[in-house]
Amino acid sequence: MPETPRGGFFEEARARSELGLAVFLHAGDPPLPVLRDLVVMLDESGVDCLELAVPFPGSPTDGPVVRRSADRALARGVGLAETLGLVADVRPALKRLRIAVLADWSHSLRTTPPADSARAVADSGTDALLAHGLPPRLRPAHHEALRAAGLPEVTTCYPTSPPATVDEAAAHATGYLYLVAHYGRSGRTPAAGHAALAPFVGSLRDRTASPIAVGFGVSTAGDLASVALSGADAAIVGTAGVEVVERAGTTGTDPVDAYHAFTAALGRPATTPR
């Protein structure tokens, strides 16, 4: 199995009392050879985590920018095998970046036994798996398969999720817990701002010792500062970065340079030590 970086998600940022930074991209957008260079750049520039999505069509929670990205990646023939191949290829070049693979159950995981999927993901050198759209009846087998493979799990919940859903997400978040800032599609900032999530983040602290990362509508340095005020460990930047890749493709500019400038401008706000 390829060697993975030491330590858990966002530990270095927490040690510096800084907000951790995760970014979302589809495997295959930009094309895999270019994406490999982009991943190495993320590692070298101090980004903590790449949430690498296996592309799938028609996501109900994604806005048009992310949907177009998935369509471009699918048109390039990228699926789970190609995504894991990229991780295995780039892993030896990485010093600190963690990679969490997001895979849709219906499109990428449904036809493979959970134990086999978990082992394949773990063997690629992936640091954690987020299973999107997993039916509730299959969750116990999924959790057990990840435990058996030694593969950390990323779970999700909303501030409006029922208490039982929040408890389950907290109980199984061995990688990090992804707090989706609001119900709806990605790319939209919650009306009250991310700092207003502070009471809910505090309640999650009573349920889990794993890091809490806030996503949806996080696109600017101001948004990151607002996430830091919520008490979360990290911010997840998705649509805005995907749009940088899209724009580079239409203008013929280098997506690696463009994405580097984008992440540098976000900054890393300070957090209150816990």
Side-chain angles (χ1 to χ4, degrees):
M1 181 184 303
E3 184 178 355
T4 57
R6 295 181 179 180
F9 285 86
F10 313 115
E11 283 186 355
E12 292 185 18
R14 185 184 300 177
R16 297 191 303 268
S17 296
E18 291 180 352
L19 185 72
L21 177 60
V23 298
F24 167 96
L25 289 169
H26 279 114
D29 189 46
L32 292 177
V34 181
L35 181 57
R36 187 191 189 281
D37 292 340
L38 198 157
V39 173
V40 172
M41 178 277 292
L42 294 176
D43 180 62
E44 294 173 346
S45 63
V47 172
D48 298 288
C49 173
L50 169 62
E51 194 172 276
L52 184 63
V54 182
F56 63 98
S59 170
T61 58
D62 287 325
V65 172
V66 176
R67 283 192 175 192
R68 289 195 301 268
S69 173
D71 290 343
R72 289 191 296 271
L74 288 167
R76 292 171 179 138
V78 176
L80 180 60
E82 291 77 14
T83 301
L84 299 183
L86 171 68
V87 176
D89 177 55
V90 76
R91 171 58 68 197
L94 304 181
K95 297 180 176 62
R96 59 181 302 282
L97 182 73
R98 310 285 283 181
I99 299 177
V101 164
L102 185 159
D104 179 69
W105 176 80
S106 181
H107 188 76
S108 301
L109 302 175
R110 179 172 57 86
T111 61
T112 306
D116 294 346
S117 294
R119 176 50 57 195
V121 175
D123 285 350
S124 73
T126 296
D127 296 295
L129 176 65
L130 193 171
H132 176 272
L134 186 69
R137 63 184 174 80
L138 300 179
R139 288 174 188 167
H142 172 75
H143 299 321
E144 176 55 35
L146 267 61
R147 282 193 297 268
L151 180 64
E153 182 171 0
V154 177
T155 60
T156 65
C157 69
Y158 294 91
T160 54
S161 294
T165 301
V166 176
D167 287 342
E168 181 184 12
H172 296 286
T174 50
Y176 58 92
L177 195 160
Y178 185 160
L179 173 56
V180 183
H182 63 93
Y183 188 79
R185 290 188 174 182
S186 58
R188 300 177 182 175
T189 302
H194 297 93
L197 296 170
F200 190 72
V201 171
S203 73
L204 290 176
R205 295 283 184 213
D206 296 332
R207 293 172 164 93
T208 181
S210 293
I212 299 165
V214 172
F216 270 47
V218 181
S219 61
T220 67
D223 294 330
L224 263 68
S226 185
V227 171
L229 291 174
S230 77
D233 297 284
I236 302 172
V237 177
T239 298
V242 173
E243 194 167 24
V244 169
V245 172
E246 182 176 62
R247 190 180 309 118
T250 58
T251 60
T253 56
D254 183 350
V256 179
D257 289 345
Y259 205 91
H260 181 264
F262 169 72
T263 54
L266 290 173
R268 300 294 287 272
T271 58
T272 302
R274 292 194 290 108

